[in-house]
Amino acid sequence: MNITIVNFKGGVGKSMIAHQLITGFGFRGCEVDPYGSLSDRLPEQVEKIEIQEKQLAQPKQATIFDFGGFDDVKLDQAVAYSDLVIIPFIPTLETIQGTVDTLVRVAPMNKPILLVPNMSQKENDINDAKFVFDETLGFEVEMFALPMSVALQTAINENCSILELSNQGGIKAYAYRKSANLIRDLHEKIREYNS
C-alpha cells in the first residue's frame, strides 16, 4: 500500500513517522521536501524529489510520500497513488490552522485520512482539536495518538527503527518497548486501510 504523509505546518512529526514506517516495515520512501533529511539518512530506501519536478512516478512497491510543510502540485499525484493520507499534528493552537488547511486541501480527494496527534500530552487538547477538525470537514476523522516519546527521537538520532532498539535486550529493550508497541499499533491501524 502507498501512504501520503502531509501537513502544511512544519515540525509536526511527518518525517519521524515516515522514518519509522520505512525502517520498521519495509516501505520505500519518496521525500518531497527540499529541507528534509530523510533521503540523506536512508539513501538506499528513500528517493529525493526536487521541488521543481512536476511529476511523481507511479510507485512500483509500497511507498511513503513524505511532504514538507507546504502545498505542492505533486500532492495531488501522491494522494491519487495512495491508499491513505496521514496528517500528523501537535495538538496546540499553533498547529491547528495548518492542519485545518491541510484537511481542507486533501479531503476532496476522497482518500481515507488518519490524523496522528503527535507528542500529545493532554487528552483534552486532542479532543478539542478533533472537534475543530470534524466541524471544519462536516464528518469525523479517525485519530491515532502518539504520546511524547524520547525513545522515538532516539531511534531517529540513531537512524534505526524503534523496533530494532526494542529488540536489543536488557535495559534498552525495556526502555524502548512501549514506543515500539505504539509504532506496531500504528502500523496495524494503517493496514486496516489497505484496499
Side-chain angles (χ1 to χ4, degrees):
M1 83 183 279
N2 302 315
I3 301 167
T4 297
I5 302 179
V6 62
N7 191 326
F8 299 153
K9 176 76 176 87
V12 295
K14 296 181 294 285
S15 293
M16 182 274 291
I17 293 169
H19 186 282
Q20 288 305 296
L21 292 174
I22 292 165
T23 57
F25 301 99
F27 286 90
R28 298 286 302 160
C30 183
E31 183 175 49
V32 189
D33 183 355
Y35 307 108
S37 63
L38 200 57
S39 58
D40 294 332
R41 288 177 176 273
L42 303 170
E44 301 296 315
Q45 295 134 303
V46 178
E47 175 188 6
K48 180 104 169 176
I49 304 297
E50 297 303 326
I51 195 71
Q52 62 270 22
E53 290 187 42
K54 300 295 181 215
Q55 288 292 123
L56 288 177
Q58 171 90 37
K60 292 180 177 32
Q61 63 190 87
T63 299
I64 305 284
F65 295 99
D66 179 31
F67 275 83
F70 56 91
D71 198 349
D72 184 90
V73 66
K74 293 179 286 297
L75 178 59
D76 298 88
Q77 298 165 44
V79 172
Y81 293 146
S82 294
D83 303 288
L84 175 65
V85 177
I86 294 178
I87 303 177
F89 70 98
I90 298 172
T92 62
L93 274 176
E94 295 80 29
T95 68
I96 297 298
Q97 187 59 55
T99 305
V100 165
D101 294 343
T102 307
L103 280 166
V104 168
R105 172 78 164 83
V106 301
M109 298 181 196
N110 293 317
K111 293 292 176 134
I113 297 169
L114 179 63
L115 285 161
V116 178
N118 188 26
M119 296 187 276
S120 57
Q121 295 183 19
K122 298 179 190 168
E123 191 160 334
N124 283 348
D125 293 342
I126 295 171
N127 292 335
D128 289 347
K130 181 167 177 34
F131 176 79
V132 170
F133 302 149
D134 291 350
E135 284 289 307
T136 299
L137 294 174
F139 58 87
E140 282 193 38
V141 179
E142 192 167 15
M143 289 204 185
F144 183 96
L146 286 177
M148 181 82 73
S149 171
V150 174
L152 287 173
Q153 189 56 54
T154 300
I156 300 297
N157 293 344
E158 295 192 18
N159 201 30
C160 66
S161 168
I162 190 70
L163 306 178
E164 185 181 327
L165 290 179
S166 72
N167 288 333
Q168 290 180 355
I171 296 259
K172 280 192 174 185
Y174 178 78
Y176 300 133
R177 187 173 299 130
K178 184 176 179 182
S179 292
N181 286 337
L182 273 170
I183 293 299
R184 278 190 197 95
D185 291 346
L186 174 60
H187 183 249
E188 283 302 309
K189 174 55 69 182
I190 287 167
R191 289 182 62 194
E192 292 176 13
Y193 293 92
N194 198 352
S195 52

